[in-house]
Amino acid sequence: MGLGNLITGPYLIIERTIRRALSACLYFVVVAHEILYSTLESYRGTHSAFQRLPLTMQGGIAILMRLGRSTSRQQKYAKIRDARQIAVQTSTKAFSNGELDLDKFVKAREYEIKALEDALLRSKRSLSARAFQGVPREMRRRTASHDAKKVPKRLRDRAKKEMEEDNTPTRKRQFTAKVRLRLETAKKLREIRQGVTKKNEPQAKLTQRPNGKGEGNDKQVKDTKVKKNKLLEPPKPQSLFRKRQIYKTWLPTHLYHTKRAHMTVPKEPLWRFALPLTPTNKSYRVTHRASGQRGAMAWDTSYVSTIGLEGPEKSIHGLLKALGVGADSEGADIWANRGQRWLRGTRSWTGWLFEREGFPHRPIGPAMIVWHLQLEQASDIVMGGTEQPPQRKKYKRKVLIRVHPSAFLQLWEEVLRLAKVQKPMVMVEDLRFEFGSIEVTGPASTEALLATLWPSQTADNDSDEADNPSKVWTTIGPITSPASTPLGALLAFEIQDPRLHFPTPKSGPTPQDPTSQFRALSLLSSWPPDRTQVPPDIFLRTARLKSQRELPSQKAISRRKSLATPGSYPDPKLTDPRIPIMLLANRAPSRSQGSWTLLLPWKCIQPVWYCLLHVPLSTGGSVRFGGQREVQQAAFECGEPWFPGDFPGTRAGWEWEERERKRRKEEWDRKPKGKRVEWASVDLGKGRKGEVGIGWGCDWERLFYGPTKVGQNDERQREQQNLANGASDTRVLPAKENEQGVDEEEEHEKTPKHPKLFQLRSSIAHSILTSGSPNQDLLVGALITIKLSFISRGVTSPCSRIYRLPTEDPSLREQWLSLLPDPNSSKTRNKRNRRGPAPLAKDAAQSAVQQRLARILFEPMPVNPGSKEYPVVPEEKDLMGFVTSGNFNLGEGQVTGIGSLLLSKLVASQDPLGRRQDEHRKEGKGAWKGSEVMKEDRLCIVREAGLGFGRLAVWDIC
């Protein structure tokens, strides 16, 4: 023992001495460095003698200062090193005479243990992110760094703890005496209201379910008295949001959209609803991919209006025929054998409706009509398990009419007028706020709906045949496109509450084996629901109200899920709510994908919507939602006109045009004069100055009435002035009287009427253009909807002007025709040659190289738009329409547009739709090729508003 002390003692003394010496040296070095740096800095900044020093000394001083100054990167690494450093101390006190004293040893290591824990904590904090930084970018909020309520609930505790540790200043609400008094008054009123409600409720309504947990009630839902032939008031909102819905109505998913989308201006609702315009994230390309290539898009279309008809079948037939159902050539067979399934109630019909005796001059808009299923026997009618009393003498049927909200009031007035004329009379019901709907499109739309809509497990389903609609729906998975289903196909059944099986696990890829494909084809060819469909419960008001009232709260759903086995869903019960739904397959001639329309009760939209948008798709990601701009984009990429914006010949389309004019005018006024287009200075060539008509809108009045002369048509001048000033206001109030007592229908009648223009159906327009002697009554004011495709490069946008080829200047007409590509050139035949001719082979002959060089040198250079050689736009008399939608079409890979043309000016042009082509064929010369057909038939010139040059394009009837 003594020998050990003699050996270790000197070493410890030497070690302690060396440490003290090194610490003293380091201390003096740091102090000297700081003094030198501060001295040099002050000397350099304050004394002019520094400028008189030699350059070598100035450089040396600068180097010393640069060495003393640390960069931000060095400071960051120094912070990390400091965080990872662990302080230590000597342990000599723990040894007494070479023996280990346990108490002293632990106390000696206590400092090091605390230093180690502190270093671990500091190292973790220096590298970890805050709670609000772990949120995905699309969910982040601006105030999340100092407000814990702005982060998701799972991160709020962590955020509060971080703010307390960092002493983050948080904004606390200051309750003034006025606010405190208001809150106390609201609390008292709430308590009084709850007490009165409990007192007035009968005891029979307070019965709980057998489980005794208050998940719902089994009270009998009576069919409440419905106001017939009167507009329905919106549902009464909660007291917290009541003042925000005075002039508008919220969708069932309003709170979801307000956090994730740009909404309409609060004081300027769209069609009496607060609607989402577009998501806050970039969504143009994402919408294209999700709706056509991979994924799915969903829209809450509960704003679409629904009208219910009830009465004898013959009376309803007369009413629908008076509205123009089946009036055109496309739907002439709808009342014959072709429409038997629709009349029975197993298919839907989509088409245009017109005013009474107004076909085809007074169109209203497109609509969807569905009949309530008619049974073979009138007695013992069983509808979804509910028995109804037999009706043998007077059997009444029901019909649903779904129409766009912009045309609802016009259609409502016509239906009321026609219902009173029918003998016996038809009862009309406003069902706008009883039916909600969701539209889903995309390759994964069927997959997402299959994961969300689970048919309800009832005793009736177990005994039904295998081809009933609910079982057909579960086997429809391989059918990825709704357009593959039969025309107007529908499925009506009952589903479970989707929250019971949320979240849905990711499903596997769609089976593509021959067996699955054969089953899908046989299912589409036979379509069993045409035979096995039962009367849908969604037509019954009692079933709709019962499904809404029996919806359990989210707390009850969470309780059932917590009691279930981990990894499994709660077992279904007979007392679970059964939600009646109707699935409608939509398709159009130009749309390849199609879409599903899910119809269900208004208050059942929210739980289905939340579950639908969180379904993990097999292709990756989830279902994306869209707004009104995405609806327009989806229709535009499919080459379909969007109602009402692309139909200015209807009342709804004209009101939309007035709204857009006012919006563009306000945007133009907000811009400074140096950054906005001066319409009076637009150079159109040949000494013409100024834009044709109103630059910020489609001036259909100018096209229809012609240019106004000085001193004539003072009323037209005043109307143009009002439009220029943006004085017209087409906002329609909600379906109730406002604070000033103005009724909705009276306000609707005061909206400005469009000129004598009407939208002509495409089938009628095609027959007029191909016939030799068109009906002159149809030419006055008729507009046809067309699709534009540019021959060369070009851009179009709404309000662009569409000209026909010059009719009075042959030389100018030839200049425009000379811009057509040569059909014999290799560039026209092969799209790959747009970047230039194909390269020659390495061993090509010298003569071939010289020929290629000579052809390139002598080839005429293309004329750039805007140059002196480029042809000017035609005169105003050749103006024949406007572009209503235009942009780069991602579906086609080029710029396209949707517009309307005045039919009278189109017919006045030479050979509008190829009658000379038929003569060309009769002469035995065969069919025309490429540019020969375009030369005289469908060529037009498109000029953007504010530009002085146009581009060649080809139009086709939509």
Side-chain angles (χ1 to χ4, degrees), residues 443-452 477 479 507-508 510 615-619:
S445 57
T446 308
E447 175 189 347
L449 288 173
L450 276 172
T452 307
I479 304 173
S507 60
T510 305
V615 173
L617 303 177
S618 59
T619 56

Side-chain angles (χ1 to χ4, degrees), residues 129-397:
R130 297 285 296 271
F132 69 91
Q133 293 175 335
V135 181
R137 185 170 299 275
E138 61 269 11
M139 295 178 61
R140 292 185 185 179
R141 298 294 177 264
R142 179 179 57 84
T143 58
S145 59
H146 59 272
D147 190 355
K149 294 182 180 180
K150 297 298 182 179
V151 297
K153 291 183 179 180
R154 59 184 176 85
L155 298 173
R156 286 180 185 175
D157 295 339
R158 177 184 164 191
K160 290 179 182 179
K161 185 177 179 181
E162 291 176 351
M163 292 178 187
E164 291 175 358
E165 293 175 353
D166 298 343
N167 294 326
T168 303
T170 57
R171 183 175 59 87
K172 295 183 179 180
R173 183 178 179 183
Q174 299 294 335
F175 290 99
T176 61
K178 194 179 212 178
V179 174
R180 192 178 297 108
L181 179 62
R182 188 179 301 169
L183 292 175
E184 291 176 357
T185 306
K187 183 179 179 180
K188 292 179 182 178
L189 292 175
R190 195 180 305 113
E191 292 176 355
I192 294 173
R193 184 171 62 254
Q194 291 177 356
V196 172
T197 304
K198 291 181 180 179
K199 184 177 179 181
N200 294 337
E201 283 183 353
Q203 296 296 327
K205 293 186 178 181
L206 298 179
T207 57
Q208 293 185 343
R209 294 200 173 207
N211 54 17
K213 295 182 180 180
E215 296 179 358
N217 52 61
D218 291 330
K219 59 180 179 243
Q220 295 293 331
V221 181
K222 296 183 179 180
D223 195 354
T224 58
K225 188 175 181 181
V226 184
K227 295 181 179 179
K228 301 289 186 180
N229 303 337
K230 289 185 180 180
L231 289 174
L232 183 67
E233 294 185 359
K236 191 175 182 180
Q238 301 178 14
S239 59
L240 181 63
F241 308 119
R242 194 164 298 165
K243 289 186 178 180
R244 307 184 194 181
Q245 303 184 49
I246 296 178
Y247 298 108
K248 58 183 176 295
T249 305
W250 285 2
L251 296 179
T253 59
H254 177 81
L255 296 180
Y256 179 91
H257 285 102
T258 50
K259 299 178 181 180
R260 300 166 178 86
H262 297 287
M263 306 295 292
T264 53
V265 182
K267 293 186 179 181
E268 296 180 5
L270 189 60
W271 308 311
R272 304 168 297 278
F273 284 94
L275 300 181
L277 298 179
T278 184
T280 52
N281 296 337
K282 293 182 179 180
S283 55
Y284 192 79
R285 295 191 178 186
V286 176
T287 302
H288 164 69
R289 297 190 190 102
S291 61
Q293 295 180 354
R294 181 181 64 256
M297 287 287 298
W299 292 272
D300 183 3
T301 55
S302 300
Y303 57 87
V304 178
S305 304
T306 305
I307 299 176
L309 305 178
E310 184 178 1
E313 186 173 358
K314 291 185 179 179
S315 300
I316 297 179
H317 281 191
L319 190 148
L320 295 179
K321 289 180 180 179
L323 288 175
V325 176
D328 55 352
S329 58
E330 295 179 356
D333 299 336
I334 197 67
W335 301 104
N337 296 332
R338 179 185 167 190
Q340 289 302 315
R341 292 171 180 166
W342 170 64
L343 294 172
R344 185 174 177 269
T346 58
R347 299 288 179 91
S348 64
W349 177 86
T350 303
W352 275 74
L353 301 181
F354 300 82
E355 295 182 3
R356 182 183 181 184
E357 299 179 358
F359 177 82
H361 296 85
R362 296 194 297 274
I364 297 177
M368 176 183 289
I369 301 177
V370 182
W371 285 81
H372 192 206
L373 182 62
Q374 180 182 10
L375 298 177
E376 298 295 335
Q377 298 178 358
S379 60
D380 300 333
I381 303 176
V382 180
M383 298 185 178
T386 59
E387 296 185 359
Q388 301 290 340
Q391 300 175 355
R392 299 179 180 178
K393 297 182 180 179
K394 296 182 180 180
Y395 181 69
K396 295 184 178 181
R397 296 196 63 186

Side-chain angles (χ1 to χ4, degrees), residues 248 307 342 404 661 751 816 830:
K248 58 183 176 295
I307 299 176
W342 170 64
H404 197 272
R661 282 188 191 180
T751 55
W816 280 106
N830 193 351

Side-chain angles (χ1 to χ4, degrees), residues 84-102:
R84 294 177 178 176
Q85 249 182 358
I86 305 174
V88 296
Q89 67 178 4
T90 61
S91 60
T92 56
K93 295 181 180 180
F95 294 93
S96 63
N97 299 326
E99 295 179 358
L100 178 64
D101 190 346
L102 189 59

